[in-house]
Amino acid sequence: MTRTRISRSTLALAAAAALAAGLTGLAGPATAAAPAKKAGPVKTTGPVRTTGTPHRVLFDDTKAETAGNADWIISTSQPDPLKQNANPTTEKSWTGALSAWGVALQKTGAYSLKTLPKGSTISYGTGAALDLANFDTFVLPEPNIRLSQSEKSALMNFVKNGGGLFLISDHTNSDRNNDGWDSPAVINDLLTSNGVDNTDPFGFSVDLKNIVTDNPRAIQDATDPVLHGSFGTVTGSILRNGTTFTLKPADNPSVKGLLYTAGSSGNSGAFFVTSTFGSGRVAIWGDSSTIDDGTGESGKKLYNGWDDPAGTDAALALNATAWLSKAN
């Protein structure tokens, strides 16, 4: 049998052609269709903002928010919590029972937080560094001192002109500093004697009740930005000696109950309420137990309602803050 002799150059050309074909196959559709590597989980809750102006939130500490066992502050470092820890990771990074709230917002990079310290006055339009005009949202957590007339007017004008107001009430007879005023009385006074609009401007009033325990549930509304926001889905809350609200939609049609105590609906028994006034937004919660993260200043008796499995209080507080700040 005669063997056909193939030259080395011919073999080399064939090998080169085979290699080219192989490379073409590797670079073809199989590679293009391969799934992209999935990014790992984001280590923070809510939206992460890398550019742009942060949403500015001011927490109040001028109305006896730390009287008795209350410790409703994000940090003992005031006005700037970053002076205590510039890169907080947990609620223990800052000292205060609202530190979990503050740290969760800080970690997103989307918020700038400050505290209005004791001895300060709530103001709007004065040009001061901590004036409400410099913030998007003001948090008033269980105030135990009656607001002055100028402070009430400042708050109302702030909201009317586009600001967000987050009110947290507690039960009746919860006067922690024994000055004759508790948070239901303080808030109702704001709504009826503010000098800007004394005719039920937000469409709700605080009930003078002390409900020992309940687990309020959220209404079914898939489009509500507070119940379904960037920080999670809200299903319910806890109530451990708190109160509810009566809604008056005839006074303000925008008022809306988002969570209700057991057996309640409509205009009574609302535990978390939102509303609008002018171009601003308002939210109110019926118990300070919900915002307590169980950590704070030494000597305080605190309980972790923030992470209580009977509710979704963290998501509710954070989504509401975002909504009030017009972040969503």
Side-chain angles (χ1 to χ4, degrees):
M1 180 172 66
T2 305
R3 294 180 179 178
T4 303
R5 189 168 194 174
I6 303 174
S7 69
R8 289 183 180 180
S9 59
T10 302
L11 288 171
L13 288 171
L19 179 60
L23 288 176
T24 302
L26 288 176
T31 302
K37 186 178 179 181
K38 292 183 179 179
V42 179
K43 301 270 185 196
T44 188
T45 308
V48 177
R49 189 186 188 95
T50 56
T51 60
T53 303
H55 306 293
R56 306 158 298 173
V57 182
L58 180 65
F59 288 79
D60 187 69
D61 189 24
T62 71
K63 300 295 175 274
E65 280 93 348
T66 58
N69 282 316
D71 201 41
W72 313 144
I73 54 174
I74 58 172
S75 172
T76 50
S77 175
Q78 299 179 359
D80 187 358
L82 296 180
K83 296 291 180 66
Q84 180 174 11
N85 188 325
N87 296 289
T89 55
T90 72
E91 63 271 15
K92 294 185 178 179
S93 299
W94 294 346
T95 305
L98 304 191
S99 57
W101 187 350
V103 169
L105 292 174
Q106 181 65 38
K107 287 170 65 177
T108 68
Y111 294 85
S112 171
L113 311 177
K114 294 289 189 295
T115 298
L116 189 64
K118 289 181 178 68
S120 303
T121 299
I122 300 168
S123 66
Y124 179 65
T126 66
L130 297 177
D131 186 275
L132 292 176
N134 297 320
F135 295 89
D136 301 302
T137 294
F138 183 60
V139 182
L140 195 58
E142 195 192 338
N144 266 262
I145 297 175
R146 184 188 187 192
L147 278 66
S148 70
Q149 198 61 42
S150 66
E151 289 180 316
K152 289 184 283 187
S153 295
L155 268 184
M156 296 302 296
N157 282 316
F158 166 67
V159 177
K160 185 178 181 180
N161 292 328
L165 176 60
F166 203 152
L167 300 164
I168 294 100
S169 183
D170 205 25
H171 59 88
T172 191
N173 297 321
S174 57
D175 181 8
R176 297 182 187 269
N177 62 338
N178 300 311
D179 70 342
W181 288 85
D182 58 15
S183 53
V186 170
I187 295 170
N188 279 338
D189 179 68
L190 167 66
L191 302 180
T192 58
S193 179
N194 56 65
V196 176
D197 187 334
N198 301 327
T199 60
D200 189 28
F202 303 152
F204 61 76
S205 61
V206 185
D207 299 329
L208 302 183
K209 294 181 179 180
N210 183 359
I211 302 171
V212 176
T213 186
D214 200 316
N215 293 318
R217 298 294 92 188
I219 64 170
Q220 297 297 315
D221 187 342
T223 64
D224 188 90
V226 175
L227 298 179
H228 302 277
S230 56
F231 290 96
T233 297
V234 175
T235 57
S237 185
I238 64 167
L239 199 168
R240 308 291 183 262
N241 292 106
T243 192
T244 53
F245 312 102
T246 296
L247 309 188
K248 304 170 187 177
D251 295 340
N252 186 329
S254 71
V255 70
K256 181 180 181 181
L258 299 188
L259 281 81
Y260 285 84
T261 53
S264 299
S265 62
N267 294 334
S268 62
F271 183 62
F272 195 99
V273 177
T274 58
S275 188
T276 62
F277 177 65
S279 56
R281 299 173 174 179
V282 182
I284 188 166
W285 212 341
D287 189 1
S288 56
S289 300
T290 59
I291 56 177
D292 187 346
D293 66 18
T295 72
E297 298 176 274
S298 177
K300 302 282 186 177
K301 292 182 180 180
L302 301 168
Y303 305 91
N304 189 357
W306 184 260
D307 295 315
D308 193 306
T312 47
D313 294 324
L316 182 51
L318 296 167
N319 283 347
T321 306
W323 177 73
L324 292 166
S325 304
K326 299 181 179 177
N328 61 17

